[in-house]
């Protein structure tokens, strides 16, 4: 969940380059940050200089660090130890000549810490990460007899340390004597960037875009020694040399910037009409390819986490009604209970924006061991999920940096609509619906409409609870909208199936309740309106989201009727509502508390 950026090269400004890289990656974790540099000057080179602080990186500078051409840094999402300056990465060994940054969890850190303490090591933080620095120190003592041994001994020491760590971890280690970064990965993502006279390491390829598009994604148990001129990859266990699999990044640095928008989330919401038009124009062939695979399956399991999970759930409606295929839906953590009984020829279709969600990687691994074919829809091409799957296709949302996922949802749903219609040999209708979704989304985003949603947000800003209610596929809409509202505005919002109201939730509907009711023009419309009346009869304030205004609505947000694809503009209304509620309440929509963009821990 943490952001990692490392540089070695000709430039003396490594600390500020690292800081810039970290700012690009802040969405991966933002409770604290830190930069370490090996100073270029021989006088200062005796120790590593570190600047680290709790809190967001914001307008931080590193001008107080000495110049150097080898530096790395980290943005943290705390696992072990509170959010303090001391617990921020990088962490140093006792000599202050070794520094480490880390993503993941060292499961045996307590045992290692106790052993190291017995050997006299002094710990200054509460983190699991610090054991890595002291372990490298310990191994380095063992391996380097002569000063000229420094470089090979250092990578050997990191290798031995990495082998001692239990759990899923990515580590990068530097020291004052070897002009290199040594990194290893198991589970948590790391990517190596190839430059000219300079090379890079990062947790996310987005950070490398301003410098290079040539990258190698480290696989599990791969280690790399990165110097100015060389990148040497090998297996951490066998030591066997591995040829880099160079990939070319397709996104541009500009695409990853906020541009004229105050927040990434708003930028990404507004990118949806254009993105959907592109998907309608370009994605039918890939949807047909995937549909052919799905048609062969005896059963389909759609899997995703959070917002991607809701997209998967929307897909299960389309696959059942349009594709005429029995389709199950599950979150990856619950899917574990089904793996052992997956029938022969079942297919698991996994969706993910990042392609690095650990829960997904975990279940995909198990499914593959079981012999189940895994297909995936992934936004970050070449990510871990992409590489693990039997067949992967891009979602086509472009870079998404807002922690609250928006365009990845609508893009995934659009792909699933195309696929469902392709399964029914009717690609034209699928394409038409996605093109209509682009148009309808543009209508939701007109100035007049946005102002209306902003006003509704203003009126709801002090609400403690919001009930978001819908039927059929709108049940997915309301769960996704409720997730958006709670994760960034911190209002408790519950997505309720309108049909289930009378089975329990109605007990909570009293005079003070605010209910947002989705009533698209589908077979559930009349029932949804009846449910709105039942809630109103108990004193609830009803905000209706529908193509037509109904008497039962106290407030009304219009949304175009585009038949089966209405979920797309409907969810965009929810995204805007969540965004403006968050601003009204004075919070940052891009960096919600306790969350991070890529969830790379279990
Ligand atoms: O990268 P993924 O799509 O696999 O991420 C899955 C969830 O962690 C993600 O959708 C999360 O729920 C978002 N913060 C929701 O806005």
């Amino acid at each position: 969940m943490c952001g990692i950026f490392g540089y070695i090269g000709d430039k003396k400004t490594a600390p500020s380059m690292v800081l810039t890289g970290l700012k690009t990656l802040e969405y991966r974790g933002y409770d604290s940050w830190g930069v370490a540099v090996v100073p270029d000057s021989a006088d200062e080179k005796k120790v590593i200089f570190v600047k680290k602080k709790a809190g967001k990186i914001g307008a931080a500078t590193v001008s107080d660090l000495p110049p150097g051409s080898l530096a790395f840094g980290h943005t943290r999402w705390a696992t072990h130890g509170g959010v303090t300056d001391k617990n921020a990465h990088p962490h140093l060994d006792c000599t202050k000549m070794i520094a480490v940054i880390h993503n993941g969890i060292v499961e045996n850190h307590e045992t290692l810490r106790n052993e190291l303490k017995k050997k006299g090591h002094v710990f200054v933080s509460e983190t699991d990460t610090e054991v890595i620095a002291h372990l490298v120190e310990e191994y380095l003592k063992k391996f380097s007899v002569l000063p000229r041994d420094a470089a090979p001994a250092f990578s050997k020491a990191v290798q031995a340390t990495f082998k001692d760590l239990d759990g899923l971890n990515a580590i990068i280690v530097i020291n004052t004597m070897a002009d290199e970064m040594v990194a290893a990965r198991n589970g948590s993502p790391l990517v190596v960037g190839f430059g000219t006279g300079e090379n890079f390491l990062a947790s996310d390829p987005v950070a490398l875009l301003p410098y290079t598009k040539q990258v190698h994604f480290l696989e599990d148990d791969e280690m790399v020694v990165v110097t100015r001129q060389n990148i040497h990859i090998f297996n951490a266990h066998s030591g066997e040399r591995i040829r880099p699999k160079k990939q070319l990044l397709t996104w541009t640095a500009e695409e990853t910037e906020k541009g004229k928008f105050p927040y990434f989330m708003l930028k990404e919401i507004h990118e949806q009409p254009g993105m959907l038009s592109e998907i309608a124009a370009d994605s039918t062939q890939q949807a047909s390819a995937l549909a052919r695979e799905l048609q062969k399956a005896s059963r389909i399991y759609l899997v995703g986490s959070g917002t991607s999970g809701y997209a998967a759930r929307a897909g299960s409606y389309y696959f059942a009604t349009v594709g005429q295929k029995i389709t199950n839906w599950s979150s990856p953590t619950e899917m574990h209970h089904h793996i052992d009984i997956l029938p022969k020829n079942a297919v698991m279709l996994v969706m993910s924006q990042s392609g690095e969600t650990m829960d997904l990687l975990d279940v995909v691994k198990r499914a593959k061991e079981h012999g189940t074919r895994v297909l995936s829809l992934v936004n970050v091409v070449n990510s871990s999920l992409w590489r693990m799957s039997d067949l992967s296709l891009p979602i086509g949302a472009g870079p998404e940096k807002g922690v609250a996922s928006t365009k990845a949802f609508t893009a995934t749903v659009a792909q699933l609509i195309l696929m469902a219609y392709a399964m029914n040999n009717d690609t034209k209708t699928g394409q038409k619906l996605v093109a209509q979704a682009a148009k309808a989304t543009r209508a939701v985003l007109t100035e007049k409409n946005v102002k209306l949603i902003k006003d509704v947000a203003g009126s709801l800003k002090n609400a403690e609870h919001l009930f978001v209610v819908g039927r059929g596929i709108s049940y997915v809409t309301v769960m996704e909208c409720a997730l958006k509202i709670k994760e960034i505005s911190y209002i408790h919002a519950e997505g309720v199936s309108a049909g289930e109201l009378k089975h329990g939730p109605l007990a909570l509907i009293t005079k003070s309740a605010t209910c947002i009711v989705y009533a698209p023009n589908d077979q559930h419309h009349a029932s949804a309106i009846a449910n709105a009346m039942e809630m109103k009869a108990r004193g609830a304030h009803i905000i209706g989201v529908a193509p037509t205004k109904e008497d039962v609505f106290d407030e009304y947000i219009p949304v175009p009727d585009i038949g089966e694809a209405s979920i797309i503009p409907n969810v965009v209304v929810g995204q805007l509502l969540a965004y403006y509620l968050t601003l009204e309440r004075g919070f940052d929509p891009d960096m919600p508390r306790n969350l991070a963009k890529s969830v790379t821990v279990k």
Side-chain angles (χ1 to χ4, degrees):
M1 325 254 300
C2 309
I4 284 177
F5 188 87
Y7 172 81
I8 183 163
D10 301 334
K11 302 190 180 88
K12 308 273 176 215
T13 51
S16 59
M17 288 173 76
V18 168
L19 190 76
T20 309
L22 292 184
K23 286 184 178 173
T24 327
L25 291 177
E26 205 187 4
Y27 64 100
R28 290 188 70 103
Y30 35 81
D31 59 40
S32 41
W33 63 275
V35 175
V37 57
V38 175
D40 274 341
S41 119
D43 287 350
E44 289 177 319
K45 210 169 179 160
K46 292 172 192 117
V47 292
I48 291 177
F49 284 65
V50 175
K51 179 170 183 180
K52 55 185 192 172
K53 292 255 174 271
K56 290 181 186 164
I57 202 163
T61 64
V62 282
S63 48
D64 41 349
L65 284 177
S69 45
L70 166 58
F72 68 11
H74 185 272
T75 57
R76 180 170 185 242
W77 185 87
T79 57
H80 290 67
V83 180
T84 62
D85 290 357
K86 275 199 174 142
N87 288 338
H89 298 212
H91 289 281
L92 296 173
D93 71 321
C94 299
T95 65
K96 299 191 171 36
M97 293 164 81
I98 298 166
V100 61
I101 51 179
H102 163 229
N103 185 5
I105 295 174
V106 179
E107 285 168 7
N108 55 337
H109 73 102
E110 258 183 47
T111 318
L112 294 172
R113 181 184 274 253
N114 291 338
E115 283 166 9
L116 287 159
K117 272 186 179 168
K118 278 189 209 143
K119 288 183 180 153
H121 291 265
V122 178
F123 284 78
V124 294
S125 79
E126 298 150 348
T127 63
D128 53 338
T129 304
E130 198 185 341
V131 298
I132 303 170
H134 294 281
L135 257 183
V136 175
E137 178 189 359
E138 200 56 34
Y139 277 118
L140 203 52
K141 274 190 236 162
K142 198 165 144 192
F143 296 149
S144 53
V145 183
L146 299 167
R148 68 166 184 275
D149 292 341
F154 179 52
S155 59
K156 256 173 87 182
V158 176
Q159 184 177 10
T161 300
F162 182 65
K163 287 203 258 181
D164 281 353
L165 308 180
D166 288 346
L168 301 173
N169 298 290
I171 61 171
I172 311 185
V173 194
I174 55 174
N175 88 11
T176 50
M177 287 172 301
D179 213 12
E180 61 195 22
M181 296 187 276
V182 182
R185 164 210 157 127
N186 177 22
S188 290
L190 264 188
V191 53
V192 193
F194 295 79
T196 310
E198 58 185 8
N199 288 309
F200 306 84
L201 274 166
S203 51
D204 188 322
V206 159
L208 302 177
L209 287 171
Y211 307 105
T212 180
K213 292 207 166 181
Q214 285 225 322
V215 298
H216 167 89
F217 291 86
L218 284 186
E219 299 289 353
D220 281 351
D221 294 326
E222 281 185 7
M223 271 193 76
V224 62
V225 177
V226 181
T227 65
R228 276 153 233 275
Q229 302 297 344
N230 285 309
I231 287 176
H232 173 69
I233 304 168
F234 56 99
N235 182 284
H237 297 283
S238 65
E240 202 182 317
R241 179 118 198 212
I242 294 166
R243 271 181 176 279
K245 278 192 222 123
K246 284 195 188 172
Q247 319 256 6
L248 213 57
L249 300 175
T250 51
W251 290 342
T252 64
E254 295 71 50
E255 280 178 285
T256 68
E257 282 155 16
K258 265 188 251 174
K260 60 177 191 201
F261 292 94
Y263 290 99
F264 281 110
M265 183 178 177
L266 190 63
K267 175 191 178 228
E268 288 156 9
I269 289 174
H270 279 271
E271 280 172 345
Q272 292 174 109
M275 172 200 82
L276 289 163
S277 300
E278 277 173 32
I279 291 175
D282 304 337
S283 292
T284 40
Q285 259 188 350
Q286 74 164 39
S288 302
L290 217 64
R292 279 194 293 277
E293 293 274 337
L294 294 169
Q295 269 156 340
K296 286 187 241 154
S298 61
R299 192 159 269 197
I300 304 169
Y301 289 80
L302 300 183
V303 182
S305 296
T307 288
S308 295
Y310 291 135
R313 218 151 151 163
S316 69
Y317 284 78
Y318 291 117
F319 283 14
T321 56
V322 183
Q324 296 288 301
K325 203 84 192 171
I326 299 178
T327 309
N328 297 59
W329 169 87
S330 178
S331 72
T333 42
E334 302 309 319
M335 186 67 200
H336 279 283
H337 303 282
H338 305 266
I339 299 275
D340 293 339
I341 54 147
L342 284 184
K344 226 174 152 220
N345 283 335
V347 161
M348 201 159 114
L349 175 59
V350 186
M351 40 223 80
S352 174
Q353 190 289 127
S354 62
E356 299 295 348
T357 300
M358 186 56 73
D359 292 335
L360 282 176
L361 303 185
D362 213 32
V363 82
V364 165
K365 204 166 156 212
R366 276 203 60 205
K368 292 197 73 177
E369 279 161 11
H370 180 75
T372 305
R373 191 161 164 74
V374 177
L375 314 179
S376 65
L377 273 173
V378 191
N379 198 37
V380 181
V381 171
N382 286 318
S383 54
S384 301
L385 174 63
W386 178 282
R387 301 195 307 275
M388 276 168 84
S389 305
D390 295 304
L391 176 66
S392 306
L393 292 173
I395 288 170
E400 187 185 71
K401 293 183 95 177
V403 170
S405 183
T406 52
K407 59 178 182 163
F409 176 86
T410 47
T412 309
V413 171
Q415 297 287 0
L416 291 164
I417 292 176
L418 291 178
M419 249 174 251
Y421 279 91
M423 278 154 82
N424 201 15
N425 300 316
D426 183 13
T427 46
K428 279 224 167 89
T429 305
Q431 201 174 17
K432 197 171 122 208
L433 280 169
V434 175
Q436 283 175 343
K439 221 170 137 199
T441 304
R442 198 162 279 126
V444 170
L445 290 168
T446 55
E447 217 173 297
K448 187 172 158 225
N449 213 54
V450 170
K451 159 102 180 44
L452 175 69
I453 296 172
K454 231 181 195 169
D455 290 346
V456 173
S459 72
L460 297 183
K461 70 174 178 203
N462 295 320
E464 278 183 39
H465 309 281
L466 290 174
F467 298 92
V468 198
V469 184
R471 272 177 181 258
I473 201 167
S474 295
Y475 179 37
V476 178
T477 306
V478 300
M479 285 189 288
E480 170 55 12
C481 294
L483 175 64
K484 274 313 70 101
I485 292 171
K486 66 187 136 194
E487 81 175 314
I488 56 173
S489 78
Y490 316 140
I491 294 177
H492 169 235
E494 202 174 319
V496 184
S497 152
E500 288 293 306
L501 270 169
K502 56 189 175 297
H503 299 293
L506 204 54
L508 292 172
I509 309 300
T510 59
K511 250 199 252 149
S512 56
T514 301
C515 303
I516 303 167
V517 179
Y518 275 83
N521 186 20
D522 58 17
Q523 75 268 38
H524 301 291
H525 180 79
S527 308
I529 299 303
N531 295 136
M533 282 174 175
E534 285 157 15
M535 292 187 284
K536 191 158 179 151
R538 282 152 183 89
H541 180 76
I542 307 289
I543 298 164
V545 186
T548 44
K549 190 169 181 333
E550 305 286 337
D551 290 344
V552 68
F553 298 157
D554 297 301
E555 289 178 77
Y556 169 57
I557 301 172
V559 72
D561 172 16
I562 50 163
E564 280 92 339
S566 293
I567 184 174
I568 292 180
N570 280 343
V571 164
V572 176
V573 170
Q575 296 169 351
L576 286 168
L577 199 56
Y579 174 80
Y580 287 111
L581 267 173
T582 306
L583 295 192
E584 286 286 346
R585 288 162 65 81
F587 299 117
D588 177 343
D590 281 348
M591 293 187 198
R593 69 181 173 220
N594 303 339
L595 302 179
K597 185 69 180 159
S598 289
V599 186
T600 56
V601 293
K602 280 206 246 175

